[in-house]
């Protein structure tokens, strides 16, 4: 008998429409996002503008080389890779691809890449590549949370964690959070057996998108796939098939830019400090360091538990969630954020520069906040 039963038993785990409370929370978030996004940027944000430069080069020049668009951003544009004197974005291409419709929508009004078109086109890309994925994330989160704690936990996720900031910025973290949690919902959420194959394909595609957007997302993606395929190896084929187009796309992108499908931008940094960092371990990531793990969680300026103190309730939430969730779903819910934490626990640049909180842990937030829907806490509890 399988000790980790599938998650389609409605007696163990149920799903329902998000409900009026969750829709109100999501609508408030969407409204605030539209109001707040235009506040940025007030300085050159290389992590974002490198993706803007890639979109501009692809649309305007039909090339993946960003040499010309990067020059518009001045000498502070450091997030680029260099090959034979040519500049390319040093980021995984997934976010730029997802945000491309935003660039195309703004193009008739903003014009071609220039210092004056940067702000409106980047804002549109933020909405497409970060805000919209978080709005989509709210749907499976609300559907899988128990009704009594649904709106409360969703409010905490969208407004009481660093996810709010990264839903307004063209970083990779919001898209990765949405993709990983969407894959978990597809793999372990309630579903008729007849739809299992389609859901596994969708989960594979979401995991592929996560890795295409942030290479270290491969670690939690493998954890989710391993739990899903444990004693059910046929599921692995559907997962691989779903992720294959994204792997092919990444290989084609790397070959076009860097000369080999297996050569990543992370190893070709133009900036000397980033190049030195990437030369250690696996593109800068080594074995988990207890000191880094402690700083990721407790650093006074960036620690996850400092900026999201609600997570102090997580132990109680996990105890309650364990009673409600199937074993397989619960194990995956634990392993995904643990994989993210341990991965970046081996990264010397764990702070991520000038950012809001420990930005590399944003992908773990939906997994950490869902258990809080299973317990009553705070003045919002009724």
């Amino acid at each position: 008998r399988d000790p980790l039963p599938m998650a389609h038993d409605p007696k163990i785990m149920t799903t329902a429409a998000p409900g009026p409370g969750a829709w109100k929370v999501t609508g408030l978030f969407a409204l605030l996002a539209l109001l707040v996004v235009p506040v940025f940027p007030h300085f050159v944000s290389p992590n974002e503008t490198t993706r803007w430069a890639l979109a501009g080069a692809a649309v305007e020049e039909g090339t993946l080389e960003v040499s010309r668009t990067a020059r518009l951003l001045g000498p502070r544009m450091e997030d680029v890779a260099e090959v034979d004197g040519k500049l390319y974005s040093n980021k995984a291409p997934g976010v730029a691809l997802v945000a491309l419709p935003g660039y195309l929508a703004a193009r008739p009004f903003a014009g071609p890449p220039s210092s004056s078109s940067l702000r409106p086109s980047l804002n549109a890309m933020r909405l497409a590549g970060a805000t919209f994925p978080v709005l989509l994330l709210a749907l499976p989160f609300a559907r899988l949370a128990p009704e009594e704690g649904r709106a409360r936990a969703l409010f905490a996720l969208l407004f009481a964690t660093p996810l709010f900031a990264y839903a307004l910025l063209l970083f990779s973290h919001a898209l990765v959070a949405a993709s990983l949690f969407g894959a978990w919902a597809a793999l372990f959420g309630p579903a008729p057996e007849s739809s299992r194959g389609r859901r596994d394909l969708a989960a594979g595609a979401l995991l592929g998108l996560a890795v295409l957007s942030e290479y270290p997302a491969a670690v939690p993606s493998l954890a989710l796939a391993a739990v899903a395929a444990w004693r059910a190896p046929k599921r692995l084929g559907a997962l691989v098939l779903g992720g294959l187009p994204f792997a092919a796309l990444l290989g084609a992108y790397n070959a076009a830019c860097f000369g080999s499908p297996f050569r990543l931008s992370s190893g070709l940094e133009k900036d000397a400090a980033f190049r030195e960092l990437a030369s250690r371990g696996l593109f800068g990531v080594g074995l988990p360091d207890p000191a880094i793990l402690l700083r990721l969680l407790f650093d006074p300026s960036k620690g996850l538990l400092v900026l999201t103190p609600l997570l102090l309730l997580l132990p109680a939430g996990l105890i309650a969630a364990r009673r409600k969730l199937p074993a397989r779903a619960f194990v995956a819910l634990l392993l995904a954020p643990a994989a993210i934490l341990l991965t970046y626990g081996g990264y010397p640049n764990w702070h991520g520069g000038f950012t809001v909180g420990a930005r590399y842990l944003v992908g773990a937030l939906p997994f950490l906040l869902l258990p809080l829907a299973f317990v009553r806490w705070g003045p919002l509890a009724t």
Side-chain angles (χ1 to χ4, degrees):
R1 184 174 178 270
D2 185 355
L4 297 176
M6 297 294 183
H8 58 259
D9 184 354
K11 296 180 180 178
I12 302 176
M13 185 179 182
T14 60
T15 184
W23 285 119
K24 290 176 183 177
V25 170
T26 306
L28 177 61
F29 171 81
L31 175 61
L32 289 179
L34 290 173
L35 294 174
V36 173
V37 160
V39 169
F40 305 102
H42 293 297
F43 65 95
V44 175
S45 174
N47 201 302
E48 299 184 277
T49 51
T50 188
R51 295 173 168 115
W52 172 83
L54 175 56
V59 172
E60 310 294 342
E61 304 173 36
T63 180
L64 301 175
E65 181 188 346
V66 303
S67 299
R68 190 185 72 83
T69 45
R71 281 197 296 271
L72 297 171
L73 301 167
R76 290 184 295 172
M77 182 54 192
E78 59 189 9
D79 280 9
V80 288
E82 186 174 26
V83 179
D84 298 329
K86 298 178 180 180
L87 300 182
Y88 300 89
S89 173
N90 70 342
K91 304 301 180 187
V95 176
L97 179 64
V98 172
L100 188 60
Y103 181 92
L104 293 172
R107 175 61 174 81
F109 311 99
S114 68
S115 57
S116 61
S117 70
L118 170 61
R119 188 181 182 102
S121 55
L122 182 56
N123 284 336
M125 291 182 71
R126 285 166 168 161
L127 291 171
T131 308
F132 185 64
V134 171
L135 290 172
L136 293 179
L137 163 65
L139 295 177
F141 187 93
R143 289 176 65 87
L144 293 175
E147 184 177 358
E148 60 274 12
R150 181 177 298 157
R152 184 172 65 246
L154 182 60
F155 185 91
L157 175 67
L158 296 182
F159 293 102
T161 76
L163 181 63
F164 179 80
Y166 292 101
L168 309 179
L169 297 168
L170 196 62
F171 285 58
S172 61
H173 313 306
L175 179 58
V176 169
S179 299
L180 290 176
F181 189 81
W184 179 84
L187 289 170
F188 306 107
E193 193 60 37
S194 59
S195 70
R196 179 56 56 195
R198 295 191 300 273
R199 291 168 68 95
D200 287 350
L201 279 172
L206 288 168
L207 295 178
L209 177 58
V211 177
L212 185 66
S213 303
E214 190 174 282
Y215 300 134
V219 180
S221 295
L222 288 172
L224 290 174
V227 176
W230 178 258
R231 296 194 178 181
K234 291 183 179 179
R235 303 187 73 185
L236 186 59
L239 286 170
V240 171
L241 189 60
L244 193 59
F246 296 90
L249 181 60
L250 178 59
Y253 175 83
N254 290 335
C257 295
F258 314 122
S260 168
F262 306 105
R263 199 177 186 192
L264 300 181
S265 58
S266 306
L268 300 165
E269 298 277 1
K270 180 183 179 183
D271 184 87
F274 290 152
R275 190 166 59 248
E276 168 66 19
L277 177 64
S279 68
R280 307 170 189 168
L282 184 62
F283 299 108
V285 178
L287 294 176
D289 182 335
I292 295 177
L293 290 170
L294 286 173
R295 297 196 72 178
L296 282 167
L297 296 176
F298 299 108
D299 182 82
S301 65
K302 294 181 180 292
L304 181 63
L305 295 178
V306 174
L307 292 185
T308 312
L310 279 173
L311 290 177
L312 295 174
L313 298 172
L314 184 59
L318 289 174
I319 292 172
R322 178 63 189 91
R323 300 191 190 105
K324 301 288 185 179
L325 297 179
R328 193 183 293 263
F330 183 74
V331 169
L333 190 73
L334 289 177
L335 283 183
I340 294 172
L341 178 63
L342 291 174
T343 298
Y344 288 108
Y347 189 45
N349 195 41
W350 64 271
H351 50 80
F354 184 68
T355 61
V356 178
R359 64 183 176 94
Y360 297 122
L361 301 186
V362 167
L365 289 173
F367 299 94
L368 298 176
L369 269 293
L370 182 66
L372 300 191
F374 292 85
V375 292
R376 297 172 64 87
W377 49 268
L380 293 177
T382 57

